[in-house]
Amino acid sequence: MPAISRFIPVCLFCFAVPGSSAIAQDDFVPLIQNDSLDGWRGDLDSWTVENGVLIGKADGTLKANRFIVADIPPVANFELQVDVRVTEGGNSGLQYRSQDRPDLGPFVVTGYQCDVVSNRDVYNGMLYEERGRRILAHAGQQVVIDPAGQPWITGTFEVKHFAPGEWHHFRVLVEGNHHRHWIDGVQTVDVIDLDEQNRSLSGVLGVQVHVGPPMEICYRNMKLKRLSDDLPIIKSQDAKIPDGAEKVEPQGGWKMAGVRDQNSPLEDVSIGDIPNLHQCGDVLLSGQPSAEDLRLLAQKGIRTVITLRPDSELDWNEREVVEAAGMEFISIPVAGPDSLTDEVFEKIRDTLRKTGPQNKTLLHCKSANRVGAVWAIHRIYNGRMAPDYAVREAKEVGLRSPPLEEKLVDYLVRHRKLWAFPIQAAVRCTPDSALLELIPPCPRSWLLISLRPGPQRLRDGVVWILMTVSMLATDMDGTLIPLPEAKSENTEDLQLLKDLIQCREIRLAYVTGRHRKSVEQAIREFNLPVPEFLVCDVGTTILQYRKSRGGFEDWPHYACHLHSIVADQTVETVRELCFDIRGLQPQEPEKQGPFKVSFYCERKQLTPIVDVIVHRLTRADSKWSVISSVDPFNGQGLIDVLPLGVSKAFALDYLARKNELPSSSIIFCGDSGNDMAALTAGFRSVVVGNAPEELKSAVRSLHQKKGWNNRLFIAQRYATSGVIEGVRHFLGES
């Protein structure tokens, strides 16, 4: 059928905000400082600011796209205007409504992008989805993306040429699920995204340096206007795809039709009684489902079931049940490690590549142990996930068997995705080592890294290892702050800890139930080092120390994130639910917050009062939850009601993701019940010696249950001395 060369009228135009309408300049916020990268984070080494121009450079050796993002709250509906200049052959992009994804590599961002391409007119100003659905609309196209994620051309624009090496004015206007781009006032795309599963309605805003030849990308006069959050979402009935519409040609040509990067985040889900169930985009991963569970999956839209179990492991006919329910059944038997051949890895990899909205798939074995081993291959090859993250995720999925893990490692090493070396007895630590990660348990310990080691890392046949620590995050009271009964020893060790983190250039964060003023008072009173970050109020506030401004500043985007959790259920709602509970006493006003309601009670009443609060919150379908602990100094019960799921661990994970720090590079130290979530969240964890024995036992049990054999240290020494004991342990100095 001939290409459509005219506009086909669809109902989307009733939602359009006129592109020519005047917008007050005061509504826009500038994003580039005159001579500083303040306000940006990510791959800052590739960027500079000179006279108000943000300049990105690449020397032609870059192996993966790199990003910096504006350090502002998530952006939903907006207008962005910026002047752009790119050299001949250069390639960049304006990233928006995107997500930080350190699991895919350093400084990787996924999501929508307005392309900036100097040497291909149909790419310049197009709508692309980085590490996702890829090309959504070429320049010159009006497109509707259907609910299954297929983009259809519903009209065309004239494609213009914009000369490289010159300044051009880019404009991006995004309202609900309606995206429009312009260059020098010429519209390049008009897209409506009906794909609810894969579209994004909010996220980070950034810019890209792309792989390719040496290039320079310049941005100036970048300004952002936020629009109302309640703009309408265009529905399918208002954006009809007319008969005769053609599909958007995919990246790489028609042979790549349907191919997308399969890198959705892994989530715990529950369906029926299926054990160890996780979901990643259009794929479910699990242990063995029952016949009833399989029929339920068919009702929920699963189209294919892949089993790794040989027929001999089951006493019933799974194929018969699956096919009777109208699903396709695929058997790829893996009886044990010896069955996990290259052919099996590649067959599963090819099979999972075909999953999508029209082919939702379940992959299972008995317990998800074998599933975890093969899942890592899919994530690396089909999702472009960093290999070390993929191996860790395999364990989260269910990989427990050392022989299966060794098969996985062997495949990745032989296919040059990982470099591995048996670790010899003579292992040293040296500051000039690269980031290396131990991944036990294996019959032989393996050292795994994602890049070929340089000569400085292998000497005389001995692997020199630095167990890299990027950040020390510690509780304060009972943990970092010296105890009265051990003041002399603790104070001496506090100075040693200061010297150690300064020498090793370890970033410092305090993660505490205290409020900001109380933290600042403690820093002065106990002569504590000033941290880079404060996570206050039991995880409901994040602040960053700005040396140039001489104090701590809020992270407003974190507050926006918490607001999105509770919506209209404010702290007043919580107080009304709890005001008449006997024995419950509100804490002082300075200990309350916009996302924290705090109470005292007698220790003996702590458990029954918490039960009453939980019951009332549940009955009210509340978006709040409860954390409780006992004051280590006076034995008083402490109760905090926080947004659902929020804790010290939640805030520290948010902080880590925003700073692109892997959890394995963070040490968290704690001593009490409100540290429990952070001590069992996947960070390297230190429980100081003065912590209750029941806390030590509970943390140890959860680490064992999750298969973490190298992430926990139970210190013998108390408070400050226990912190430095734990840090030295993870640095290999103990």
Side-chain angles (χ1 to χ4, degrees):
M1 178 166 295
I4 300 170
S5 58
R6 57 186 177 85
F7 284 107
I8 299 175
V10 289
C11 295
L12 66 92
F13 296 108
C14 65
F15 289 93
V17 173
S20 60
S21 62
I23 297 176
Q25 293 303 306
D26 291 345
D27 291 335
F28 285 92
V29 176
L31 297 179
I32 301 174
Q33 303 293 329
N34 190 47
D35 58 357
S36 170
L37 281 167
D38 284 353
W40 295 86
R41 57 181 174 79
D43 184 26
L44 300 181
D45 290 343
S46 298
W47 294 86
T48 58
V49 176
E50 299 176 11
N51 299 318
V53 179
L54 181 63
I55 304 171
K57 293 183 179 181
D59 61 6
T61 62
L62 199 62
K63 301 300 182 186
N65 299 341
R66 294 288 184 265
F67 301 83
I68 60 170
V69 299
D71 196 6
I72 58 176
V75 179
N77 299 314
F78 69 94
E79 177 170 356
L80 178 72
Q81 295 191 25
V82 60
D83 297 328
V84 184
R85 185 179 67 196
V86 60
T87 54
E88 181 77 39
N91 188 331
S92 182
L94 296 163
Q95 203 76 27
Y96 62 86
R97 285 188 177 178
S98 298
Q99 310 302 319
D100 293 302
R101 292 295 299 271
D103 54 319
L104 302 180
F107 312 120
V108 170
V109 172
T110 63
Y112 294 118
Q113 181 184 109
C114 172
D115 255 39
V116 178
V117 180
S118 67
N119 60 349
R120 194 165 180 185
D121 293 344
V122 294
Y123 280 8
N124 202 15
M126 75 175 178
L127 179 58
Y128 185 80
E129 190 173 68
E130 180 78 14
R131 300 288 188 106
R133 295 170 292 174
R134 304 185 183 182
I135 294 177
L136 299 177
H138 290 98
Q141 292 179 342
Q142 179 184 4
V143 167
V144 174
I145 304 170
D146 71 23
Q150 174 61 55
W152 295 88
I153 303 169
T154 59
T156 60
F157 306 100
E158 182 182 359
V159 177
K160 298 278 191 177
H161 175 70
F162 302 96
E166 299 178 5
W167 287 104
H168 299 285
H169 186 72
F170 278 67
R171 179 184 176 213
V172 178
L173 180 62
V174 182
E175 302 164 298
N177 56 341
H178 191 186
H179 304 244
R180 284 171 287 173
H181 303 166
W182 290 263
I183 303 176
D184 292 342
V186 176
Q187 189 162 10
T188 57
V189 296
D190 187 318
V191 179
I192 294 174
D193 192 349
L194 303 176
D195 181 3
E196 294 184 23
Q197 180 172 328
N198 294 294
R199 73 187 179 199
S200 173
L201 298 178
S202 178
V204 301
L205 186 77
V207 291
Q208 175 199 65
V209 171
H210 202 283
V211 297
M215 67 184 78
E216 181 178 271
I217 308 109
C218 299
Y219 293 92
R220 72 181 183 189
N221 301 326
M222 182 182 289
K223 54 189 180 181
L224 173 71
K225 178 186 179 183
R226 293 177 182 271
L227 305 177
S228 172
D229 287 340
D230 59 0
L231 295 179
I233 298 295
I234 300 174
K235 306 296 185 182
S236 297
Q237 62 267 27
D238 298 315
K240 301 292 186 182
I241 300 170
D243 295 338
E246 295 186 348
K247 296 179 179 179
V248 172
E249 183 175 353
Q251 184 178 9
W254 293 109
K255 65 181 183 297
M256 301 298 289
V259 174
R260 61 181 69 180
D261 289 317
Q262 298 176 336
N263 52 36
S264 300
L266 187 73
E267 300 175 312
D268 293 333
V269 292
S270 177
I271 299 176
D273 295 319
I274 304 174
N276 206 7
L277 183 62
H278 293 85
Q279 181 169 3
C280 183
D282 298 306
V283 181
L284 293 176
L285 311 162
S286 75
Q288 179 65 53
S290 67
E292 183 179 348
D293 289 329
L294 289 168
R295 286 188 280 267
L296 179 59
L297 289 172
Q299 295 172 18
K300 291 185 174 294
I302 296 297
R303 294 290 172 261
T304 302
V305 174
I306 306 170
T307 181
L308 303 183
R309 303 189 72 183
D311 292 342
S312 58
E313 290 188 16
L314 286 174
D315 58 4
W316 55 284
N317 192 325
E318 182 176 351
R319 178 186 294 274
E320 188 176 278
V321 173
V322 168
E323 292 180 346
M327 299 180 287
E328 180 183 4
F329 183 79
I330 299 174
S331 176
I332 307 176
V334 178
D338 291 341
S339 303
L340 208 51
T341 62
D342 286 10
E343 182 181 2
V344 167
F345 277 128
E346 287 155 17
K347 185 174 182 180
I348 292 171
R349 170 180 150 192
D350 291 341
T351 303
L352 290 177
R353 187 185 293 124
K354 300 170 185 175
T355 60
Q358 306 304 317
N359 185 27
K360 296 184 178 181
T361 298
L362 169 72
L363 172 65
H364 80 83
C365 60
K366 181 179 180 181
S367 66
N369 184 22
R370 286 166 278 187
V371 168
V374 300
W375 178 248
I377 301 297
H378 166 72
R379 290 294 254 177
I380 293 166
Y381 284 92
N382 296 338
R384 293 195 282 171
M385 178 176 277
D388 49 344
Y389 274 89
V391 174
R392 284 199 290 271
E393 187 177 271
K395 294 182 179 181
E396 187 177 347
V397 167
L399 177 60
R400 294 288 181 271
S401 164
L404 286 175
E405 182 176 347
E406 190 165 350
K407 280 284 189 178
L408 168 61
V409 169
D410 176 67
Y411 180 91
L412 294 174
V413 170
R414 286 187 292 103
H415 290 79
R416 304 173 71 83
K417 290 294 183 180
L418 282 175
W419 299 89
F421 305 89
I423 296 176
Q424 303 183 20
V427 174
R428 305 295 181 99
C429 296
T430 175
D432 62 355
S433 302
L435 170 61
L436 305 178
E437 173 73 8
L438 290 172
I439 306 183
C442 285
R444 297 174 286 171
S445 291
W446 286 95
L447 174 69
L448 300 183
I449 60 177
S450 299
L451 301 171
R452 179 188 293 274
Q456 77 280 12
R457 302 172 198 154
L458 287 173
R459 301 189 203 142
D460 302 323
V462 176
V463 180
W464 292 58
I465 303 170
L466 173 65
M467 187 66 76
T468 301
V469 174
S470 300
M471 176 180 284
L472 170 63
T474 177
D475 176 50
M476 296 182 72
D477 297 285
T479 304
L480 180 68
I481 294 176
L483 296 174
E485 62 268 29
K487 186 174 182 180
S488 177
E489 180 187 25
N490 282 178
T491 302
E492 182 180 334
D493 283 335
L494 179 60
Q495 184 58 51
L496 293 175
L497 182 63
K498 290 180 185 178
D499 295 341
L500 181 62
I501 61 178
Q502 182 177 2
C503 174
R504 288 299 190 95
E505 297 182 345
I506 297 171
R507 304 169 79 175
L508 182 63
Y510 293 162
V511 185
T512 176
R514 288 182 178 235
H515 56 89
R516 173 180 175 169
K517 288 185 178 179
S518 178
V519 173
E520 292 173 333
Q521 179 183 346
I523 290 173
R524 293 190 297 270
E525 180 181 351
F526 298 102
N527 194 26
L528 304 177
V530 177
E532 182 180 356
F533 295 101
L534 292 183
V535 176
C536 301
D537 304 313
V538 200
T540 59
T541 305
I542 297 179
L543 304 106
Q544 184 171 10
Y545 185 78
R546 301 287 189 184
K547 190 173 182 179
S548 60
R549 294 165 188 159
F552 292 98
E553 292 187 351
D554 278 302
W555 268 19
H557 44 85
Y558 183 61
C560 292
H561 185 53
L562 298 189
H563 180 72
S564 70
I565 296 174
V566 299
D568 58 347
Q569 296 185 4
T570 65
V571 290
E572 294 304 324
T573 308
V574 175
R575 292 192 182 102
E576 290 173 6
L577 286 172
C578 300
F579 82 97
D580 61 342
I581 298 176
R582 182 174 297 179
L584 197 61
Q585 177 185 349
Q587 293 186 21
E588 297 81 356
E590 64 268 20
K591 296 182 180 179
Q592 311 293 342
F595 301 103
K596 174 175 174 281
V597 184
S598 298
F599 302 97
Y600 297 122
C601 70
E602 292 185 12
R603 181 170 185 168
K604 63 183 180 182
Q605 292 183 294
L606 183 60
T607 299
I609 286 179
V610 167
D611 289 344
V612 171
I613 296 174
V614 170
H615 175 72
R616 292 189 178 187
L617 292 174
T618 304
R619 189 176 58 191
D621 194 23
S622 176
K623 296 173 182 176
W624 295 75
S625 57
V626 182
I627 291 179
S628 63
S629 61
V630 175
D631 190 311
F633 301 106
N634 60 24
Q636 195 170 30
L638 304 174
I639 297 173
D640 298 300
V641 185
L642 313 174
L644 193 64
V646 173
S647 63
K648 290 181 176 181
F650 179 93
L652 185 54
D653 177 69
Y654 185 92
L655 182 65
R657 286 187 287 108
K658 292 299 180 183
N659 284 277
E660 299 179 338
L661 300 176
S663 58
S664 61
S665 74
I666 297 174
I667 298 175
F668 176 78
C669 306
D671 75 302
S672 67
N674 67 19
D675 298 317
M676 180 70 176
L679 288 166
T680 56
F683 308 110
R684 302 195 186 280
S685 302
V686 176
V687 183
V688 292
N690 51 291
E693 290 302 319
E694 55 266 29
L695 177 70
K696 297 176 185 177
S697 177
V699 173
R700 186 184 294 112
S701 175
L702 274 170
H703 273 250
Q704 291 172 348
K705 184 177 180 181
K706 293 182 179 181
W708 296 337
N709 299 322
N710 66 336
R711 300 191 194 184
L712 176 63
F713 180 75
I714 307 291
Q716 298 297 312
R717 302 167 71 194
Y718 283 14
T720 326
S721 302
V723 172
I724 194 169
E725 183 186 355
V727 172
R728 283 173 168 168
H729 167 79
F730 285 119
L731 288 172
E733 296 184 359
S734 57

Short mmCIF file of all heavy atoms in Angstrom, two decimals, residues 7 12-13 16 19 124-125 138-142 156-160 162 171 173 178-191:
data_model
loop_
_atom_site.label_atom_id
_atom_site.label_comp_id
_atom_site.label_asym_id
_atom_site.label_seq_id
_atom_site.Cartn_x
_atom_site.Cartn_y
_atom_site.Cartn_z
N PHE A 7 -2.66 14.20 6.21
CA PHE A 7 -3.16 13.98 7.56
C PHE A 7 -4.48 13.23 7.49
O PHE A 7 -5.36 13.56 6.70
CB PHE A 7 -3.38 15.31 8.29
CG PHE A 7 -2.13 15.95 8.76
CD1 PHE A 7 -1.62 17.07 8.13
CD2 PHE A 7 -1.44 15.40 9.82
CE1 PHE A 7 -0.46 17.66 8.58
CE2 PHE A 7 -0.28 15.98 10.26
CZ PHE A 7 0.22 17.12 9.65
N LEU A 12 -7.59 13.08 18.23
CA LEU A 12 -6.55 13.60 19.11
C LEU A 12 -6.53 15.12 19.12
O LEU A 12 -6.11 15.73 20.09
CB LEU A 12 -5.17 13.07 18.71
CG LEU A 12 -4.59 13.49 17.35
CD1 LEU A 12 -3.73 14.74 17.51
CD2 LEU A 12 -3.76 12.36 16.77
N PHE A 13 -6.96 15.77 18.06
CA PHE A 13 -6.79 17.22 17.99
C PHE A 13 -7.65 17.96 19.00
O PHE A 13 -7.37 19.09 19.34
CB PHE A 13 -7.07 17.72 16.58
CG PHE A 13 -6.08 17.19 15.60
CD1 PHE A 13 -6.44 16.22 14.68
CD2 PHE A 13 -4.75 17.61 15.64
CE1 PHE A 13 -5.51 15.70 13.80
CE2 PHE A 13 -3.82 17.10 14.76
CZ PHE A 13 -4.20 16.13 13.83
N ALA A 16 -5.40 18.98 21.84
CA ALA A 16 -4.16 19.74 21.60
C ALA A 16 -4.21 21.10 22.26
O ALA A 16 -5.20 21.80 22.21
CB ALA A 16 -3.94 19.90 20.10
N GLY A 19 0.02 25.08 19.62
CA GLY A 19 1.47 25.23 19.66
C GLY A 19 1.91 26.66 19.55
O GLY A 19 3.02 27.00 19.93
N ASN A 124 16.30 13.12 13.30
CA ASN A 124 16.45 14.37 14.05
C ASN A 124 15.08 14.86 14.53
O ASN A 124 14.21 15.19 13.73
CB ASN A 124 17.11 15.43 13.16
CG ASN A 124 17.78 16.52 13.96
OD1 ASN A 124 18.00 16.39 15.16
ND2 ASN A 124 18.12 17.61 13.29
N GLY A 125 14.89 14.89 15.85
CA GLY A 125 13.60 15.29 16.41
C GLY A 125 12.59 14.17 16.52
O GLY A 125 11.45 14.41 16.91
N HIS A 138 9.31 8.31 13.52
CA HIS A 138 10.36 9.03 12.81
C HIS A 138 9.97 10.50 12.67
O HIS A 138 8.78 10.85 12.75
CB HIS A 138 10.59 8.44 11.41
CG HIS A 138 11.22 7.09 11.42
ND1 HIS A 138 10.49 5.93 11.31
CD2 HIS A 138 12.52 6.71 11.53
CE1 HIS A 138 11.31 4.89 11.34
NE2 HIS A 138 12.55 5.33 11.48
N ALA A 139 10.94 11.36 12.45
CA ALA A 139 10.64 12.75 12.15
C ALA A 139 9.72 12.80 10.92
O ALA A 139 9.92 12.06 9.95
CB ALA A 139 11.92 13.53 11.89
N GLY A 140 8.70 13.66 10.99
CA GLY A 140 7.76 13.78 9.88
C GLY A 140 6.55 12.88 10.02
O GLY A 140 5.77 12.77 9.07
N GLN A 141 6.36 12.25 11.19
CA GLN A 141 5.25 11.30 11.33
C GLN A 141 4.32 11.69 12.48
O GLN A 141 4.77 12.10 13.55
CB GLN A 141 5.78 9.89 11.57
CG GLN A 141 6.51 9.30 10.37
CD GLN A 141 7.05 7.91 10.63
OE1 GLN A 141 7.20 7.48 11.78
NE2 GLN A 141 7.35 7.18 9.55
N GLN A 142 3.03 11.53 12.18
CA GLN A 142 1.99 11.58 13.21
C GLN A 142 1.63 10.13 13.51
O GLN A 142 1.35 9.35 12.58
CB GLN A 142 0.77 12.35 12.71
CG GLN A 142 -0.37 12.44 13.71
CD GLN A 142 -1.58 13.11 13.11
OE1 GLN A 142 -1.57 13.46 11.93
NE2 GLN A 142 -2.60 13.31 13.91
N THR A 156 1.46 12.53 8.10
CA THR A 156 2.86 12.88 7.90
C THR A 156 3.06 14.38 7.86
O THR A 156 2.13 15.16 7.55
CB THR A 156 3.41 12.28 6.59
OG1 THR A 156 2.66 12.78 5.49
CG2 THR A 156 3.38 10.76 6.62
N PHE A 157 4.29 14.81 8.19
CA PHE A 157 4.73 16.19 8.04
C PHE A 157 5.84 16.21 7.00
O PHE A 157 6.47 15.18 6.72
CB PHE A 157 5.32 16.73 9.35
CG PHE A 157 4.44 16.61 10.55
CD1 PHE A 157 4.63 15.59 11.46
CD2 PHE A 157 3.45 17.55 10.80
CE1 PHE A 157 3.84 15.49 12.59
CE2 PHE A 157 2.66 17.46 11.93
CZ PHE A 157 2.85 16.42 12.83
N GLU A 158 6.14 17.38 6.51
CA GLU A 158 7.31 17.53 5.66
C GLU A 158 8.57 17.43 6.53
O GLU A 158 8.63 18.03 7.60
CB GLU A 158 7.29 18.89 4.94
CG GLU A 158 8.48 19.09 4.00
CD GLU A 158 8.46 20.46 3.33
OE1 GLU A 158 7.50 21.23 3.59
OE2 GLU A 158 9.41 20.76 2.58
N VAL A 159 9.54 16.64 6.07
CA VAL A 159 10.79 16.47 6.80
C VAL A 159 11.79 17.53 6.35
O VAL A 159 12.08 17.65 5.15
CB VAL A 159 11.38 15.06 6.60
CG1 VAL A 159 12.72 14.93 7.32
CG2 VAL A 159 10.40 14.00 7.08
N LYS A 160 12.30 18.30 7.27
CA LYS A 160 13.24 19.38 6.97
C LYS A 160 14.67 18.95 7.31
O LYS A 160 14.89 18.05 8.11
CB LYS A 160 12.89 20.63 7.78
CG LYS A 160 11.51 21.20 7.49
CD LYS A 160 11.52 22.08 6.25
CE LYS A 160 10.21 22.85 6.12
NZ LYS A 160 10.22 23.76 4.96
N PHE A 162 18.18 20.22 9.04
CA PHE A 162 18.73 21.21 9.96
C PHE A 162 20.24 21.00 10.00
O PHE A 162 20.72 19.96 10.47
CB PHE A 162 18.10 21.05 11.35
CG PHE A 162 16.60 21.20 11.32
CD1 PHE A 162 15.77 20.09 11.25
CD2 PHE A 162 16.01 22.46 11.34
CE1 PHE A 162 14.39 20.22 11.21
CE2 PHE A 162 14.63 22.60 11.30
CZ PHE A 162 13.81 21.48 11.23
N ARG A 171 11.90 22.21 20.85
CA ARG A 171 10.79 22.37 21.78
C ARG A 171 10.11 21.01 21.94
O ARG A 171 9.82 20.32 20.95
CB ARG A 171 9.79 23.39 21.23
CG ARG A 171 8.57 23.61 22.13
CD ARG A 171 7.59 24.57 21.49
NE ARG A 171 6.39 24.71 22.30
CZ ARG A 171 5.18 24.92 21.80
NH1 ARG A 171 5.00 25.04 20.50
NH2 ARG A 171 4.14 25.05 22.61
N LEU A 173 6.80 19.26 23.94
CA LEU A 173 5.56 19.50 24.68
C LEU A 173 4.90 18.15 24.94
O LEU A 173 4.58 17.42 23.99
CB LEU A 173 4.63 20.42 23.88
CG LEU A 173 3.28 20.76 24.53
CD1 LEU A 173 3.47 21.52 25.83
CD2 LEU A 173 2.42 21.57 23.56
N HIS A 178 0.25 12.47 25.20
CA HIS A 178 0.37 13.14 23.91
C HIS A 178 1.73 13.84 23.84
O HIS A 178 2.03 14.72 24.66
CB HIS A 178 -0.77 14.15 23.76
CG HIS A 178 -0.90 14.71 22.38
ND1 HIS A 178 -1.78 15.72 22.06
CD2 HIS A 178 -0.27 14.41 21.21
CE1 HIS A 178 -1.69 16.01 20.77
NE2 HIS A 178 -0.77 15.23 20.24
N HIS A 179 2.57 13.46 22.88
CA HIS A 179 3.94 13.94 22.76
C HIS A 179 4.10 14.71 21.44
O HIS A 179 3.74 14.20 20.38
CB HIS A 179 4.94 12.76 22.73
CG HIS A 179 4.84 11.86 23.91
ND1 HIS A 179 5.86 11.70 24.81
CD2 HIS A 179 3.85 11.04 24.35
CE1 HIS A 179 5.51 10.84 25.73
NE2 HIS A 179 4.28 10.42 25.48
N ARG A 180 4.72 15.90 21.52
CA ARG A 180 5.00 16.66 20.31
C ARG A 180 6.38 17.29 20.40
O ARG A 180 6.78 17.77 21.47
CB ARG A 180 3.92 17.73 20.09
CG ARG A 180 2.62 17.16 19.55
CD ARG A 180 1.51 18.19 19.55
NE ARG A 180 1.04 18.46 20.90
CZ ARG A 180 0.17 19.43 21.18
NH1 ARG A 180 -0.29 20.21 20.22
NH2 ARG A 180 -0.22 19.62 22.43
N HIS A 181 7.10 17.28 19.28
CA HIS A 181 8.43 17.87 19.19
C HIS A 181 8.47 18.87 18.03
O HIS A 181 7.82 18.66 17.00
CB HIS A 181 9.50 16.79 18.91
CG HIS A 181 9.55 15.68 19.92
ND1 HIS A 181 10.24 14.50 19.68
CD2 HIS A 181 9.02 15.56 21.16
CE1 HIS A 181 10.12 13.72 20.73
NE2 HIS A 181 9.38 14.33 21.63
N TRP A 182 9.29 19.91 18.19
CA TRP A 182 9.54 20.89 17.13
C TRP A 182 11.03 21.20 17.07
O TRP A 182 11.73 21.15 18.10
CB TRP A 182 8.82 22.20 17.41
CG TRP A 182 7.33 22.20 17.29
CD1 TRP A 182 6.57 22.59 16.22
CD2 TRP A 182 6.38 21.86 18.32
NE1 TRP A 182 5.23 22.50 16.50
CE2 TRP A 182 5.07 22.05 17.79
CE3 TRP A 182 6.50 21.39 19.63
CZ2 TRP A 182 3.92 21.80 18.52
CZ3 TRP A 182 5.36 21.13 20.36
CH2 TRP A 182 4.08 21.34 19.81
N ILE A 183 11.53 21.53 15.88
CA ILE A 183 12.86 22.10 15.70
C ILE A 183 12.71 23.38 14.90
O ILE A 183 12.13 23.36 13.80
CB ILE A 183 13.82 21.14 14.97
CG1 ILE A 183 13.93 19.80 15.69
CG2 ILE A 183 15.20 21.77 14.84
CD1 ILE A 183 14.79 18.78 14.95
N ASP A 184 13.19 24.48 15.45
CA ASP A 184 13.09 25.79 14.80
C ASP A 184 11.66 26.09 14.37
O ASP A 184 11.40 26.62 13.28
CB ASP A 184 14.04 25.88 13.60
CG ASP A 184 15.50 25.87 14.02
OD1 ASP A 184 15.79 26.14 15.20
OD2 ASP A 184 16.36 25.58 13.17
N GLY A 185 10.69 25.70 15.22
CA GLY A 185 9.29 25.97 14.93
C GLY A 185 8.64 24.99 13.98
O GLY A 185 7.44 25.09 13.71
N VAL A 186 9.40 24.04 13.44
CA VAL A 186 8.87 23.04 12.51
C VAL A 186 8.54 21.77 13.29
O VAL A 186 9.41 21.18 13.93
CB VAL A 186 9.90 22.72 11.40
CG1 VAL A 186 9.37 21.61 10.49
CG2 VAL A 186 10.23 23.97 10.61
N GLN A 187 7.27 21.36 13.26
CA GLN A 187 6.89 20.16 14.01
C GLN A 187 7.51 18.92 13.38
O GLN A 187 7.46 18.73 12.16
CB GLN A 187 5.37 20.01 14.08
CG GLN A 187 4.94 18.89 15.03
CD GLN A 187 3.48 19.00 15.45
OE1 GLN A 187 2.72 19.80 14.90
NE2 GLN A 187 3.09 18.19 16.42
N THR A 188 8.10 18.06 14.23
CA THR A 188 8.74 16.84 13.73
C THR A 188 7.94 15.59 14.05
O THR A 188 7.94 14.65 13.25
CB THR A 188 10.16 16.70 14.32
OG1 THR A 188 10.10 16.71 15.75
CG2 THR A 188 11.06 17.83 13.84
N VAL A 189 7.27 15.53 15.20
CA VAL A 189 6.43 14.37 15.52
C VAL A 189 5.20 14.80 16.29
O VAL A 189 5.19 15.84 16.96
CB VAL A 189 7.19 13.30 16.35
CG1 VAL A 189 8.34 12.70 15.60
CG2 VAL A 189 7.63 13.84 17.69
N ASP A 190 4.17 13.96 16.22
CA ASP A 190 2.95 14.12 17.00
C ASP A 190 2.50 12.70 17.34
O ASP A 190 2.11 11.93 16.46
CB ASP A 190 1.89 14.85 16.18
CG ASP A 190 0.65 15.19 16.99
OD1 ASP A 190 0.20 14.35 17.77
OD2 ASP A 190 0.14 16.32 16.83
N VAL A 191 2.60 12.31 18.61
CA VAL A 191 2.42 10.91 19.00
C VAL A 191 1.45 10.80 20.17
O VAL A 191 1.54 11.55 21.15
CB VAL A 191 3.77 10.27 19.41
CG1 VAL A 191 3.57 8.82 19.85
CG2 VAL A 191 4.77 10.35 18.27
#
